[in-house]
Amino acid sequence: MTQDPNAEARIAPTEVGANAAETGDRQLAPEASDAYGTHEVGIENLDFATVAEHGHTAAELDPDAPAVLTVDNLKMYFPVRSSGLVRRTIGHVQAVDGISFEVPKGGSLGLVGESGCGKSTTGRLITRLYKPTGGSMMFGGHDLAKVSNKEMKPLRRDVQMIFQDPYTSLNPRHTVGTIVGAPLEVHNVVPKNKVLPRVQELLEIVGLNPEHYNRYPNEFSGGQRQRIGIARALTLNPKVLVADEPVSALDVSIQAQVVNLLQDIQTEFDVAFLFIAHDLAIVRHFCPEIAVMYLGKIVEIGDRETIYGKPHHPYTQALLSAVPDVKQAAVGGRRERIRLEGDVPSPINPPSGCRFRTRCQFAQEICAKVEPPLLQIGKRHKVACHFAGELGAHPATPVTTELLGVDDQGTPVPGATPTNTQLTIPGYEKTWFDLRTKQTTGV
Ligand SMILES: Nc1ncnc2c1ncn2[C@@H]1O[C@H](COP(=O)(O)OP(=O)(O)OP(=O)(O)O)[C@@H](O)[C@H]1O
C-alpha cells in the first residue's frame, strides 16, 4: 500500500469498535482513525476538500485509456401499478432514461446529481441488480444488459459494488471472514484451505487487522465496516467497481481516509470506478471525469477542470454554487449561490422537452418543445442545453436550432436537414460543435 506522505499523525491501531461492542455501546467514540495500518489522515473536523489536500493528490485523467465499460442509451422504467386486486400498470417511473457514457480502464467516472435523479439505479443496472428496460452496457465483449442471469454469474466477478450504508450492507450474523470469503467460495476461485489466507490478505490491504476475521460487523466502527465492504468487493479482483455513495454515511474525519484507501486500491488493482456521490468536493478529488444527472438524464459530462471550472449547464452551475468553497471564501471570492425554484418534477410524468426547464431561469419556448441533445462542445465536454454557456454568458438565442432543424421557438423548419448524427455516442468524437461559431471544429 502507498504510504500517505502528508499524514500528520499516525494513530495506533484502533479497536474502538471492539471496545464499544464490549460495553454494548453502539454510539462509538469519535473516530480519529478507523484503520489498523496505513491510510490515516491525522486531520479532524475539516471539510473534505481541505482534508483531501492533506491526503492523496487528486486522481488524474488518462485521455488515452480505452473504455472498460461502454453504456449506450441505457433505460430503466419501473412500472407503477394500481392498487386493488387486479394490479394494472398505470405508468412508469423513468428512473434512467437514455444515458450514455464510458468508464475508462483503471479510471473513474463520477456520477452526481440531486437525490432521485437516477444515480443509484444506474449503479444497480451496471451490476445487474436490475435488468434494464433498454440500451446496452458493453463490458469485455458482453452486453451486460442482455445476458441471462446464468451468463452474468462469471461476469459478476468483474463488476462489483460498494454500498452506501456499512451498517445495513453487511450481514450481522456472519463473521468478517465469512462475508469477505463468501465470493471466493461461490465462484470457486481458490481451494477451501486458501480462503482464510486470502481473506486475511484482503483485510490487511483495506487497513484492518487480519486477525479480526472471526469478529462480527457490530464489533467494528462505521469506517471499519466500510473497509469490510470494500474488502468484499475486492475479493474477486474486479475490473469495475460501482461505489454508491461509499463515504456519505461516515464521519467527516473518516471520509478522507476511506477515499484515500479507494485511491490506493484503484492504483494497485487497476480497477475502474463508477463513483456515485452527491458530495461534489469528494467527486472532484476522486474523479477526473464527471457526469451530472437530472431526472434520469445526463445533462452535462466532461473532465474535472471543465465541469468545475467552466460548467455550461444551468443545473451544473446551480449545483456547484451550493458547494462551500473554503478557499474561495477565505479570499472573499465566495460564489453567489444560485437557488433552484421548486421541487424536482416526478419521474413518472417528466416535463416535455428539457426536463430541467421547469426550474431553469433561461427556459424559453423551445425548451418545452424539443429535448436538447447531449452535444459535444469541447474536447471532453458535452452538454444538453439549448442555451448552453458559461455562467453569466448564456446566449440569448438557442444554439441548437440549425443542428436540430428547428427555429428559435422549436418549430421544425420546412426542408431543414437535422445533423444530429454525432450527438448521442457514449464517448467523445475528435470533432465537436463550437458554441461561438456554431461550426464543427476539432484539434
Ligand atoms: N425499485 C424501484 N421501484 C420504483 N421506483 C424506483 C425504484 N428504485 C428507484 N426508484 C425511483 O427512481 C428514481 C431514481 O432513484 P435513484 O435511487 O436511482 O436516485 P438517486 O439519484 O440514486 O437518489 P438517492 O441519492 O436518493 O439514492 C426515484 O424517483 C426513485 O423513487
Side-chain angles (χ1 to χ4, degrees), residues 78 93 95 114-121 130 245 347:
F78 294 107
V93 178
E114 282 168 295
S115 181
C117 68
K119 305 181 298 291
S120 294
T121 303
Y130 298 144
E245 300 271 10

Side-chain angles (χ1 to χ4, degrees), residues 160 228 260 361 373:
Q160 290 284 319
I228 298 168
N260 289 345
Q361 54 174 319

Side-chain angles (χ1 to χ4, degrees), residues 97-402:
D97 195 17
I99 62 171
S100 304
F101 58 83
E102 284 180 348
V103 180
K105 184 175 179 296
S108 18
L109 176 72
L111 208 51
V112 301
E114 282 168 295
S115 181
C117 68
K119 305 181 298 291
S120 294
T121 303
T122 305
R124 286 165 178 263
L125 288 169
I126 288 164
T127 45
R128 262 299 289 275
L129 293 172
Y130 298 144
K131 189 155 191 205
T133 311
S136 67
M137 306 184 286
M138 294 309 296
F139 172 81
H142 302 272
D143 183 356
L144 302 183
K146 309 265 168 19
V147 293
S148 65
N149 285 340
K150 197 172 162 209
E151 290 164 324
M152 188 63 204
K153 191 180 165 197
L155 296 170
R156 277 192 204 287
R157 291 176 57 166
D158 291 331
V159 187
Q160 290 284 319
M161 187 144 180
I162 299 169
F163 293 92
Q164 172 180 7
D165 189 349
Y167 291 91
T168 56
S169 63
L170 304 176
N171 189 332
R173 293 176 205 281
H174 289 171
T175 62
V176 170
T178 311
I179 291 169
V180 178
L184 291 174
E185 300 204 24
V186 171
H187 290 269
N188 238 336
V189 268
V190 292
K192 271 207 160 33
N193 63 346
K194 291 281 190 308
V195 172
L196 181 57
R198 176 72 180 138
V199 166
Q200 290 186 307
E201 189 189 356
L202 282 162
L203 293 181
E204 193 147 25
I205 286 170
V206 299
L208 293 172
N209 186 339
E211 296 312 318
H212 289 177
Y213 66 89
N214 55 359
R215 296 193 174 190
Y216 289 88
N218 71 348
E219 297 179 60
F220 294 87
S221 65
Q224 290 170 328
R225 288 187 210 200
Q226 194 56 303
R227 289 172 191 267
I228 298 168
I230 294 167
R232 176 179 58 184
L234 280 179
T235 310
L236 297 167
N237 257 328
K239 295 195 174 69
V240 177
L241 268 177
V242 175
D244 188 2
E245 300 271 10
V247 296
S248 59
L250 305 179
D251 190 275
V252 176
S253 61
I254 298 300
Q255 290 186 346
Q257 299 173 20
V258 174
V259 169
N260 289 345
L261 167 65
L262 292 174
Q263 269 188 289
D264 283 343
I265 283 167
Q266 175 163 52
T267 315
E268 292 192 17
F269 287 72
D270 195 27
V271 60
F273 275 82
L274 180 69
F275 194 94
I276 299 169
H278 64 267
D279 186 327
L280 290 154
I282 290 180
V283 173
R284 178 171 60 184
H285 181 75
F286 196 84
C287 306
E289 206 143 28
I290 293 110
V292 182
M293 280 187 82
Y294 184 80
L295 212 55
K297 302 255 182 205
I298 290 181
V299 294
E300 187 158 15
I301 183 167
D303 59 48
R304 177 197 288 128
E305 291 65 33
T306 309
I307 295 294
Y308 285 85
K310 291 181 180 173
H312 275 57
H313 197 287
Y315 179 61
T316 316
Q317 290 160 354
L319 271 188
L320 283 169
S321 78
V323 179
D325 193 330
V326 178
K327 273 192 183 163
Q328 286 282 319
V331 293
R334 195 173 189 125
R335 262 190 284 245
E336 205 54 44
R337 175 138 192 204
I338 304 167
R339 294 200 181 274
L340 291 176
E341 299 296 324
D343 293 327
V344 182
S346 164
I348 300 176
N349 191 14
S352 62
C354 172
R355 290 188 177 188
F356 183 59
R357 72 176 165 84
T358 53
R359 301 171 80 197
C360 179
Q361 54 174 319
F362 304 106
Q364 294 186 26
E365 209 175 327
I366 186 174
C367 306
K369 285 194 192 153
V370 188
E371 185 181 343
L374 189 61
L375 183 63
Q376 186 171 338
I377 58 163
K379 198 171 179 186
R380 289 185 91 89
H381 188 198
K382 294 184 188 183
V383 65
C385 176
H386 294 300
F387 296 91
E390 277 192 58
L391 195 58
H394 289 277
T397 53
V399 291
T400 46
T401 47
E402 271 178 51

